[in-house]
Amino acid sequence: RDYLERRGVGDAVRGQFAIGYAPDGFSALKDALGKDDARRVAVLEKVGLLSKNDRGHSYDKFRDRVIFPIHDRRGRPIAFGGRVLDPEDSPKYLNSPETPLFHKGRELYGLWQVRQANQTIERLVVVEGYMDVVALFQFGVPQAVATLGTATTPDHAELLFRNAPDVFFCFDGDAAGRRAATRAMESVLPRMRDGRQAFFLFLPDGEDPDSIVRKEGAAGFDARLAQATPLSQFFFEELGRDINRGTLDGRARLAERARPLLAQLPDGAFADLMRQELQRQTGVDAARPVAEARPPARQAAPAQQRRSLVRSVIALLLQQPSLGLQLERPYRFAELRLPGVPLLLEILDVVAQRPEISTGALLEHFAAHEQAEALRRLAAQVLPGEEASWAHELHDAVAQLERQTVQQRIDELQQKQRAQGLDETDKYEMRMLLQGLAGRG
């Protein structure tokens, strides 16, 4: 309470955000909820409230931290964030891990509170930290949300625009802030239908939204938002930052950078005006089809060549990247120790970040990867069956990978049982895994 008083967070806002505290020590939550109940402990581990050490013992994940519940769009707590009390401690912020309930790339901290505080949401202000959101609410700017320790994703962008026509991204003015703004720009471009607007506000060195709104109040912060850089201006400034537009080569480079991004814009007045602006600045007609890296002409795979499951999934994603959007995150096969799994996860991450990505653009993304040539060969092969059946094949292959992941964990526990025995938590996990494996057939 003393900490929140010093930060100027009043009782009303504390209640609005359900701010709390995690006591110091390793078992406060575990003891309070029943440390002897193996099933309850397993559930607490699954939702990220307990962690497990190398010896298999569970302990509280959040300790001696101010706790910020993270609510879903219906107001239900699905995760937690914790901030240190002592600024010398690290990490400064700690979030719940990815769980079946919580996918950080799809959630925005404070969105539930914004919906409750505003009958009509005319704008959303995207900041970086929990305290930035809370401070803005405290000082009269109840339209703030925060990404949860991750860059702005396409899912975030869609969620933002579903709730407000105008979105302001508020970042530090340093190099890291500019990179974060560029990632946000790439995520919002495919969603810039007419009527939507995006802006970028860069703060002075050493300042954050929390400190600015305390010094200048809501009026001062609103004045800064009024001077924020529109997406169109930031787009050309950022892409042309290291380019000499006075030369033919410089203008050509700007055009080559801009045209693939402009091709992602939905049809409409904004897209037309952005292409006109590129033509004004470079002389290049942005409406001309973008030269895209295309895979070489496809050739039938030798009949005797059999792909591994992982290669089969990668091949399907190369042919039709959007299939990856059908797979639920977090991916249950992520811990599977098989060749190709790390690359598969990288591909799925790119598809999640760029839902409209094509085969050529996906290959281009991995052009410098050590497996680039293998990916090009896979993309060039003709897959058996019709495109309509590929989704079914993908889900079948992924289900087999998940089964292998479960079996891998069972093998680990059986090895541990032979070496040192299992505690109650391990035994419960083993029973659940064996039941799940039987259920999967």
Side-chain angles (χ1 to χ4, degrees), residues 5-36:
E5 287 289 346
R6 290 198 305 273
R7 299 297 297 265
V9 181
D11 288 342
V13 172
R14 294 183 208 179
Q16 192 174 11
F17 285 88
I19 300 173
Y21 174 66
D24 204 359
F26 286 86
S27 64
L29 177 66
K30 188 177 174 183
D31 292 345
L33 296 180
K35 62 180 179 180
D36 296 326

Side-chain angles (χ1 to χ4, degrees), residues 110-271:
L111 182 58
W112 167 253
Q113 285 80 6
V114 170
R115 285 174 162 177
Q116 300 307 299
N118 299 269
Q119 284 190 334
T120 302
I121 306 173
E122 298 292 342
R123 68 181 183 187
L124 285 172
V125 182
V126 183
V127 295
E128 294 188 77
Y130 305 108
M131 281 303 300
D132 292 326
V133 172
V134 171
L136 287 169
F137 267 75
Q138 179 69 51
F139 288 87
V141 186
Q143 299 93 24
V145 296
T147 55
L148 295 155
T150 184
T152 305
T153 67
D155 286 337
H156 286 146
E158 188 61 40
L159 185 56
L160 288 163
F161 280 125
R162 281 209 305 267
N163 284 275
D166 293 355
V167 176
F168 293 78
F169 293 95
C170 188
F171 296 110
D172 294 341
D174 58 10
R178 305 291 296 197
R179 286 195 298 271
T182 300
R183 289 287 300 276
M185 176 188 73
E186 292 172 350
S187 291
V188 301
L189 279 172
R191 289 150 187 86
M192 289 300 297
R193 296 194 291 272
D194 289 346
R196 295 177 171 183
Q197 297 185 96
F199 303 87
F200 296 86
L201 173 62
F202 295 98
L203 298 178
D205 288 345
E207 301 283 6
D208 56 28
D210 184 353
S211 62
I212 288 285
V213 77
R214 291 176 193 282
K215 293 176 184 176
E216 303 177 1
F221 193 80
D222 284 342
R224 287 182 179 271
L225 291 178
Q227 299 299 315
T229 304
L231 169 63
S232 54
Q233 179 181 337
F234 176 72
F235 179 90
F236 289 106
E237 285 179 357
E238 195 60 27
L239 265 61
R241 179 171 292 275
D242 58 349
I243 288 175
N244 180 2
R245 302 182 204 204
T247 68
L248 193 64
D249 291 348
R251 292 195 295 275
R253 179 173 293 181
L254 176 59
E256 287 306 307
R257 288 181 181 177
R259 289 174 66 224
L261 293 171
L262 294 182
Q264 299 179 33
L265 286 170
D267 291 339
F270 181 71

Side-chain angles (χ1 to χ4, degrees), residues 37 87 95 159 171 184 229 232 259 265-266 279 281 343 414 434:
D37 186 338
N95 290 331
L159 185 56
F171 296 110
T229 304
S232 54
R259 289 174 66 224
L265 286 170
Q279 187 165 8
Q281 292 195 24
L343 176 59
Q414 289 175 337
L434 289 170

